[in-house]
């Protein structure tokens, strides 16, 4: 009963309560989003240590801006917009190009690690892992558009979060989807 | 029927959700929550101060204020101009009645010389009432009071504002003239002058000299004079008081004479008494009248009376105007 009522409290209400000094409200809010955000960051960047750092910085940014928070949009949009900016900052700081295939610690292109037809493995777990690896072959812009759409955001929301327009986001998502599908079909083609 | 594109999207979404990403590490959770507790905003409502008007605690206040404002506006609309005019007339009547009562009180508390000054002031005040100026029964002394009185009538009838302003200006001028004509000394000083310099007074004013002579041998005006005068002029005793003055001034009961002539209203009788007294210009006649007054009042025990005829007539002057 209480759990049901608790779930009815919106993210925005919890954030406003925290704005008034209620730390417990923030703990509830954090509990709702921490794993989803971490998963998003993980799908965006495979380096776990970097992801932890970005996740922590994202939440601290939310805390620091709590007094200025206004419920003009969904809290989730607000949170992921901050996370996206942190990711972009991280990529810029580490000079990670947005359109090149990234290499692993041994200098091999990550896309090469995607199993080819000769290493066919049709299990869904492996397919999922392959998809994650395939995401690394996308440009960061395409990758972010695709992943944010998978998080449930609309094209308009993604455009606002990434500072683009809706048409650009639409084409990025279309290109990302086609690319991933082609890559996976190649890998698992009979 | 989903399109091929939609099917591909759904398949990719399913694959993505099946890839179990690592959960948020505990040390990250602890660090974030600790930071959140340490940096929680201190004061409640601080951040919401710019949106104070949408705070729920203001809703009852705004609702109450709105209802009150609506009630006032409706009340103002249902009052017709006639009702307002009637209210104004009633207020004027009350003010006039208050003026009469107050003038009697003021005269009772002052000696004869002072009463003359007060009578003049009350006459001016009465003219203001007749002109439609409402004030709180106290004789107006300066321009500010006249302006305040004029302002107080604005609610009664806005159409009279211009007329009142004009009247106030005229009255202001009149008050200035009256004030200049009167001695600047305080009432007590006036009384002292009257007692200390009877000879000078006799030279300048024979009527006052006669009155002072009649008072000679008696004690100076005492504080009891106030109570005496109030009793004499009260509404209940006024007919008897007028009858007594009639016997003094023309030797016959004035009430009966008035009744015969049909001129029996108290105001007409008062006016007649004042007129008769004013006709006594001869010093001898004045002295005789004062003597008659002393004689008549000596055997009068119904209520207390002023000590001199002049004081008695002065009490009546405001009512005769």
């Amino acid at each position: 009963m209480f759990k049901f009522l608790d779930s009815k409290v919106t993210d925005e209400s919890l954030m406003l309560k925290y704005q008034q000094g209620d730390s417990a409200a923030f703990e509830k809010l954090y509990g709702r989003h921490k794993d989803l955000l971490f998963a998003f960051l993980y799908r965006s960047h495979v380096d776990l240590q970097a992801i932890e750092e970005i996740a922590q910085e994202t939440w601290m940014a939310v805390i620091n801006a709590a007094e200025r928070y206004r419920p003009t949009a969904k809290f989730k949009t607000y949170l992921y917009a901050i996370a996206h900016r942190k990711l972009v900052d991280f990529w810029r700081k580490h000079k990670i190009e947005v359109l090149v295939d990234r290499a692993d610690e041994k200098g091999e292109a990550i896309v090469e690690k995607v199993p080819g037809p000769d290493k066919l493995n049709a299990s869904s777990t492996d397919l999922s892992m392959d998809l994650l690896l395939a995401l690394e072959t996308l440009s960061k812009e395409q990758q972010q558009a695709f992943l944010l759409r998978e998080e449930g955001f609309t094209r308009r929301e993604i455009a606002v979060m990434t500072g683009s327009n809706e048409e650009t986001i639409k084409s990025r998502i279309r290109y990302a989807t086609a690319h991933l599908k082609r890559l996976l079909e190649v890998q698992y083609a009979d | 029927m989903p399109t091929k594109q939609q099917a591909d999207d759904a398949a990719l979404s399913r694959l993505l959700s099946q890839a179990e990403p690592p959960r948020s590490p505990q040390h990250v959770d602890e660090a974030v929550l600790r930071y959140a507790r340490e940096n929680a905003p201190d004061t409640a409502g601080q951040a919401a101060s710019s949106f104070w008007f949408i705070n729920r605690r203001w809703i009852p206040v705004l609702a109450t204020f709105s209802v009150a404002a609506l009630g006032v506006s409706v009340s103002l609309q249902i009052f017709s101009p006639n009702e307002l005019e009637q209210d104004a007339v009633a207020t004027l009547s009350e003010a006039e009645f208050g003026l009469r009562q107050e003038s009697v009180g003021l005269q009772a508390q002052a000696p004869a010389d002072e009463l003359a000054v007060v009578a003049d002031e009350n006459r001016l005040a009465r003219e203001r009432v007749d002109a439609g100026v409402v004030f709180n029964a106290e004789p107006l002394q300066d321009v500010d009071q006249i302006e305040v009185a004029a302002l107080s009538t604005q609610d009664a009838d806005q159409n009279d504002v211009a007329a009142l302003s004009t009247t106030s200006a005229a009255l202001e001028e009149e008050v200035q003239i009256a004030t200049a004509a009167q001695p600047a000394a305080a009432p007590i000083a006036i009384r002292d002058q009257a007692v200390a310099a009877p000879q000078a007074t006799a030279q300048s004013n024979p009527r006052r000299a006669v009155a002072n002579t009649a008072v000679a041998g008696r004690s100076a005006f005492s504080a009891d004079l106030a109570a005496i005068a109030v009793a004499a002029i009260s509404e209940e005793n006024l007919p008897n008081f007028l009858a007594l003055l009639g016997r003094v001034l023309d030797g016959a009961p004035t009430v009966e004479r008035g009744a015969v002539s049909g001129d029996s209203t108290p105001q007409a009788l008062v006016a007649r008494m004042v007129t008769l007294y004013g006709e006594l210009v001869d010093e001898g006649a004045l002295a005789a009248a004062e003597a008659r007054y002393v004689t008549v009042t000596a055997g009068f025990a119904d209520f207390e009376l002023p000590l001199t005829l002049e004081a008695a007539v002065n009490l009546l002057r405001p009512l005769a105007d």
Side-chain angles (χ1 to χ4, degrees):
Chain A
M1 177 70 178
F2 290 116
K3 207 166 185 177
F4 170 76
L5 290 176
D6 204 43
S7 67
K8 289 290 181 186
V9 180
T10 63
D11 294 342
E12 293 75 29
S13 299
L14 290 173
M15 191 60 190
L16 288 173
K17 283 183 179 176
Y18 177 64
Q19 193 177 60
Q20 296 175 356
D22 186 355
S23 296
F26 183 83
E27 289 183 21
K28 284 181 192 168
L29 192 63
Y30 182 75
R32 285 182 186 181
H33 293 282
K34 62 170 186 164
D35 290 331
L36 291 173
L37 181 70
F38 201 82
F40 165 74
L41 293 172
Y42 177 75
R43 289 165 188 156
S44 304
H45 192 83
V46 292
D47 184 351
L48 200 57
Q49 192 173 351
I51 293 307
E52 288 179 7
E53 185 183 331
I54 293 170
Q56 195 164 325
E57 284 181 5
T58 300
W59 283 108
M60 286 179 176
V62 171
I63 293 165
N64 291 336
E67 289 189 22
R68 299 186 302 275
Y69 173 76
R70 299 282 176 268
T72 53
K74 286 191 294 186
F75 173 76
K76 189 180 176 184
T77 309
Y78 175 69
L79 177 66
Y80 278 69
I82 294 174
H84 171 75
R85 282 201 298 273
K86 294 291 178 188
L87 272 172
V88 172
D89 289 346
F90 177 83
W91 291 328
R92 283 179 184 158
K93 186 178 174 184
H94 293 83
K95 301 189 187 317
I96 296 173
E97 299 295 335
V98 293
L99 288 172
V100 299
D101 293 336
R102 294 176 54 212
D104 63 9
E105 61 277 7
K106 294 178 183 174
E108 293 178 16
I110 286 177
V111 70
E112 299 300 325
K113 295 170 74 174
V114 177
D118 55 325
K119 301 172 185 174
L120 186 77
N121 188 333
S123 78
S124 60
T125 304
D126 288 341
L127 273 172
S128 299
M129 290 306 296
D130 291 344
L131 176 59
L132 290 178
L133 290 172
L135 280 169
E136 292 295 313
T137 66
L138 292 170
S139 74
K140 289 302 177 189
E141 290 166 341
Q142 292 162 1
Q143 179 204 65
Q144 286 295 290
F146 176 81
L147 286 175
L148 287 170
R149 192 202 61 175
E150 292 301 312
E151 292 295 330
F153 294 110
T154 63
R155 284 199 291 265
R156 174 173 294 191
E157 287 171 333
I158 297 168
V160 171
M161 291 160 72
T162 59
S164 309
N165 60 58
E166 275 189 70
E167 283 305 311
T168 304
I169 296 301
K170 185 179 176 182
S171 66
R172 283 176 185 171
I173 290 172
R174 191 170 58 237
Y175 179 86
T177 305
H179 179 77
L180 292 172
K181 182 170 169 285
R182 188 172 63 247
L183 199 58
L184 292 175
E185 277 177 350
V186 168
Q187 290 171 21
Y188 294 103
D190 289 333
Chain B
M1 186 73 177
T3 62
K4 189 171 185 303
Q5 176 70 32
Q6 288 171 331
D8 292 342
D9 290 347
L12 284 172
S13 296
R14 195 168 51 250
L15 278 176
L16 199 62
S17 63
Q18 284 171 352
E20 291 184 6
R23 303 175 74 84
S24 176
Q26 193 172 357
H27 67 272
V28 172
D29 296 348
E30 288 171 356
V32 169
L33 292 177
R34 186 172 58 248
Y35 188 79
R37 279 190 293 272
E38 288 171 357
N39 293 276
D42 290 333
T43 54
Q46 184 181 18
S49 59
S50 56
F51 289 93
W52 60 271
F53 51 88
I54 58 171
N55 196 318
R56 285 190 176 190
R57 65 181 172 165
W58 287 101
I59 292 175
V61 177
L62 289 174
T64 306
F65 180 78
S66 303
V67 169
L70 188 66
V72 168
S73 63
V74 169
S75 301
L76 289 175
Q77 286 177 358
I78 62 174
F79 274 118
S80 67
N82 288 337
E83 286 173 329
L84 290 174
E85 200 169 326
Q86 286 170 4
D87 288 346
V89 169
T91 308
L92 287 171
S93 301
E94 288 173 9
E96 188 173 2
F97 178 74
L99 167 66
R100 288 175 184 274
Q101 296 297 106
E102 185 71 17
S103 68
V104 169
L106 288 171
Q107 291 179 21
Q109 290 169 13
D113 288 359
E114 187 182 347
L115 288 178
V117 175
V118 172
D120 288 337
E121 291 173 349
N122 281 338
R123 183 177 56 76
L124 291 174
R126 180 182 164 77
E127 288 174 5
R128 292 189 196 101
V129 171
D130 292 340
V133 180
V134 178
F135 62 102
N136 54 358
E138 199 168 309
L140 300 182
Q141 296 295 332
D142 53 30
V143 178
D144 289 342
Q145 285 180 307
I146 292 173
E147 288 174 353
V148 169
L151 285 172
S152 69
T153 60
Q154 289 182 359
D155 291 338
D157 193 344
Q158 290 290 341
N159 295 330
D160 287 341
V161 170
L164 288 174
S165 301
T166 307
T167 309
S168 297
L171 289 172
E172 175 189 338
E173 190 178 342
E174 193 174 345
V175 166
Q176 286 172 347
I177 294 167
T179 306
Q182 291 169 358
I188 299 298
I190 294 170
R191 184 189 63 190
D192 293 344
Q193 285 172 1
V195 174
Q199 296 303 321
T201 306
Q203 289 171 5
S204 61
N205 188 345
R207 190 186 300 276
R208 190 171 298 167
V210 171
N212 287 340
T213 305
V215 173
R218 299 184 185 187
S219 60
F221 291 122
S222 66
D224 293 337
L225 183 60
I228 292 168
V230 169
I233 205 68
S234 70
E235 224 173 306
E236 183 184 337
N237 295 328
L238 186 61
N240 291 335
F241 182 56
L242 292 172
L244 184 145
L245 285 180
R247 283 200 297 276
V248 170
L249 290 169
D250 59 12
T254 309
V255 175
E256 290 173 8
R257 286 160 60 96
V260 170
S261 65
D263 193 11
S264 62
T265 63
Q267 190 165 10
L269 291 173
V270 166
R272 177 168 173 73
M273 293 303 108
V274 173
T275 305
L276 286 173
Y277 184 74
E279 289 170 0
L280 299 175
V281 291
D282 181 53
E283 240 182 78
L286 269 173
E290 284 288 355
R292 272 204 307 278
Y293 180 79
V294 171
T295 306
V296 171
T297 56
F300 195 82
D302 289 353
F303 51 86
E304 298 289 342
L305 290 168
L307 294 177
T308 67
L309 178 60
E310 186 188 27
V313 173
N314 281 338
L315 283 179
L316 295 177
R317 284 187 197 281
L319 300 179
D321 290 333

